[in-house]
Amino acid sequence: MMKLSKPTVLNQQPLKNRIAMAPMTTYSGQDNLFPSQAEIDYMKLRACDVGLTISPAISINHQAQAFENQITLKSDDFIEPMRPFVKAMQAGGAKAIAQLHHGGRMNVPKLYQNPQDIVSASAVKVPREGFVVPRPLSIEEIKTTINDFAEATLRAIYAGFDGIELHGANTYLLQQFFSPHTNKRSDAYGGSLSKRLRFIRELIEAVTTVIDQYAPKDFIFGYRFSPEEIESDGITLDDTTYLLDYLKDTKLDYIHASMGHYEQSSLRDDDEKTPIVKTLLSALNKQKPLMGSGGLRHFEDLQKAETLGYDYMAIGLPLIADPKAVEKIFNKQKPNQKIIKSSLPQPLYEKLYKNKDRFKKRGITF
Ligand SMILES: Cc1cc2nc3c(=O)[nH]c(=O)nc-3n(C[C@H](O)[C@H](O)[C@H](O)COP(=O)(O)O)c2cc1C
């Protein structure tokens, strides 16, 4: 037995192991954006063997929705309908974490009647077809957006979640503020590294205030980030070291690295072969636990991830293909890799199937 498969305690909450179901959008909410029964059933099946279930990204206000039929906590109307979904996430004894999200410039334009609702740090468009030039948030709107995250946190508490994770990764709004590639502001929220961090800092302070005031003492608070961007003026590992140096002194209970592979070395420097995790761990200086993600498929991956120093590991695609993936990996068995169409909410299956060549490379088949 190894550390990652053993029970532990996170902010006083007992976890059956240190494996989390990775946050994975299902595109399967109802048209009114309440969780659908198909999504609830899907989650219940997969939550059985993990210590933590992290929800699909949940939008926090009317400008935050990035995907079709993405579930939301944008108003109080969504608290009650969220409860069965939270219960499904907890059904096997896992702790349920709400991933709170704002898509910023990554939002799909067809979801918005008013193009002015697609916002970001600056007017820098995603250089791909199907996106629009976002409108930079005013300082007043930044404060409102932070307040909307705080209110969504309160709703997550009321809906019965055991914790929240701020989605600061995968090029969404929080990352857009931190990145010199997407943040060209010259006010208090852009320019120097410290000013690019300001949005995240104020956000964490606002959410901390809500948690301190309204959440149970053992409510879990996590933060997900992407360590690098590939653009020449994008986020570097030095920038990320600065971010982690700040995060390690906050109220956060865990820090979650979003990567294609847990062993990954720098995307920006081909000559550098050291796994990025070394840099992340040294920046965190053992002050916060680190959750890794990406490419956990077999028992050997667990061993390697543990040797590299990850305190927790999230697992994504294998759980989509096989609800028993975690138990099988613990038992040195191979999880099923083939997606069974009838076991997934239909929109999720369709999304995966549309990109099947990409997903096949990552170890699932159709
Ligand atoms: C269908 C799908 C949806 C995803 N949605 C999210 C999301 O909502 N939030 C997030 O932070 N990451 C999301 N991710 C990334 C996963 O959390 C994870 O980091 C990635 O799949 C790598 O882990 P894996 O190799 O175990 O699948 C998604 C991935 C997939 C395949």
Side-chain angles (χ1 to χ4, degrees):
M1 280 278 270
M2 51 177 50
K3 172 175 147 180
L4 287 171
S5 59
K6 279 195 196 136
T8 187
V9 174
L10 181 58
N11 192 27
Q12 305 166 50
Q13 300 214 43
L15 308 184
K16 65 169 102 171
N17 56 50
R18 292 168 177 261
I19 307 296
M21 177 170 175
M24 286 185 291
T25 298
T26 64
Y27 316 92
S28 302
Q30 300 179 45
D31 287 341
N32 61 7
L33 308 185
F34 294 175
S36 63
Q37 191 58 46
E39 195 170 28
I40 291 169
D41 296 343
Y42 155 89
M43 194 52 104
K44 191 169 176 177
L45 265 183
R46 285 160 180 79
C48 45
D49 299 323
V50 290
L52 292 165
T53 40
I54 306 174
S55 77
I58 297 176
S59 73
I60 55 97
N61 68 16
H62 74 285
Q63 294 176 334
Q65 185 181 353
F67 325 105
E68 296 95 339
N69 298 82
Q70 180 182 357
I71 55 174
T72 185
L73 283 171
K74 65 182 171 184
S75 81
D76 290 352
D77 298 340
F78 295 89
I79 297 173
E80 210 49 52
M82 191 62 85
R83 285 184 205 275
F85 188 65
V86 180
K87 288 247 153 43
M89 291 174 72
Q90 295 163 330
K95 301 297 171 188
I97 308 293
Q99 190 187 52
L100 300 183
H101 175 230
H102 190 309
R105 71 174 194 153
M106 298 294 288
N107 292 355
V108 179
K110 73 173 177 209
L111 298 174
Y112 292 89
Q113 277 173 347
N114 181 357
Q116 294 289 306
D117 276 336
I118 304 216
V119 297
S120 183
S122 301
V124 182
K125 183 184 163 299
V126 181
R128 293 199 299 268
E129 224 181 290
F131 293 95
V132 295
V133 179
R135 181 176 63 81
L137 286 168
S138 68
I139 290 196
E140 204 185 327
E141 287 174 313
I142 288 178
K143 308 275 181 205
T144 315
T145 305
I146 288 172
N147 191 52
D148 291 341
F149 266 101
E151 289 192 356
T153 302
L154 188 55
R155 293 183 194 115
I157 296 168
Y158 290 153
F161 280 104
D162 302 297
I164 65 136
E165 175 179 286
L166 292 174
H167 193 349
N170 303 354
T171 75
Y172 296 113
L173 186 71
L174 278 51
Q175 188 174 329
Q176 291 159 31
F177 267 88
F178 189 56
S179 166
H181 175 66
T182 39
N183 184 340
K184 307 289 183 195
R185 302 176 76 101
S186 51
D187 61 10
Y189 292 89
S192 65
L193 200 43
S194 150
K195 287 178 173 175
R196 282 190 277 119
L197 183 66
R198 183 168 175 153
F199 180 88
I200 294 170
R201 220 168 41 221
E202 291 184 357
L203 174 57
I204 289 181
E205 285 164 12
V207 168
T208 300
T209 303
V210 169
I211 293 176
D212 284 348
Q213 204 169 343
Y214 297 101
K217 284 270 166 293
D218 57 2
F219 196 75
I220 296 167
F221 185 14
Y223 189 93
R224 194 170 211 211
F225 71 101
S226 294
E228 286 182 303
E229 290 174 339
I230 46 173
E231 291 82 5
S232 57
D233 58 349
I235 292 171
T236 65
L237 277 181
D238 282 347
D239 292 343
T240 292
T241 298
Y242 183 85
L243 169 71
L244 296 179
D245 186 52
Y246 161 69
L247 295 178
K248 77 177 180 2
D249 295 324
T250 59
K251 190 195 158 63
L252 289 166
D253 298 301
Y254 72 91
I255 317 267
H256 185 178
S258 178
M259 294 197 247
H261 199 279
Y262 68 92
E263 280 185 300
Q264 188 174 303
S265 57
S266 175
L267 300 171
R268 300 178 62 88
D269 182 357
D270 287 343
D271 297 333
E272 180 55 70
K273 301 290 181 224
T274 319
I276 281 179
V277 58
K278 298 279 177 212
T279 309
L280 308 182
L281 287 169
S282 110
L284 289 174
N285 196 27
K286 295 196 164 49
Q287 282 173 256
K288 297 286 179 200
L290 180 66
M291 183 183 290
S293 61
L296 172 56
R297 301 290 179 267
H298 308 289
F299 184 77
E300 301 75 63
D301 292 313
L302 271 188
Q303 289 176 309
K304 277 192 203 164
E306 186 162 323
T307 307
L308 281 168
Y310 289 105
D311 302 288
Y312 294 86
M313 280 299 292
I315 177 165
L317 285 169
L319 268 180
I320 290 189
D322 187 345
K324 300 305 285 176
V326 173
E327 187 185 287
K328 288 184 185 169
I329 291 173
F330 285 172
N331 291 326
K332 303 186 183 177
Q333 295 165 340
K334 208 170 161 211
N336 301 334
Q337 287 178 288
K338 192 168 155 48
I339 297 271
I340 300 166
K341 189 175 174 185
S342 61
S343 77
L344 298 181
Q346 198 182 335
L348 175 59
Y349 178 81
E350 282 167 9
K351 204 63 152 197
L352 293 166
Y353 190 77
K354 225 166 90 185
N355 298 297
K356 62 177 185 303
D357 294 333
R358 185 151 60 88
F359 288 118
K360 273 182 188 164
K361 285 193 200 119
R362 292 171 55 187
I364 60 172
T365 61
F366 291 83

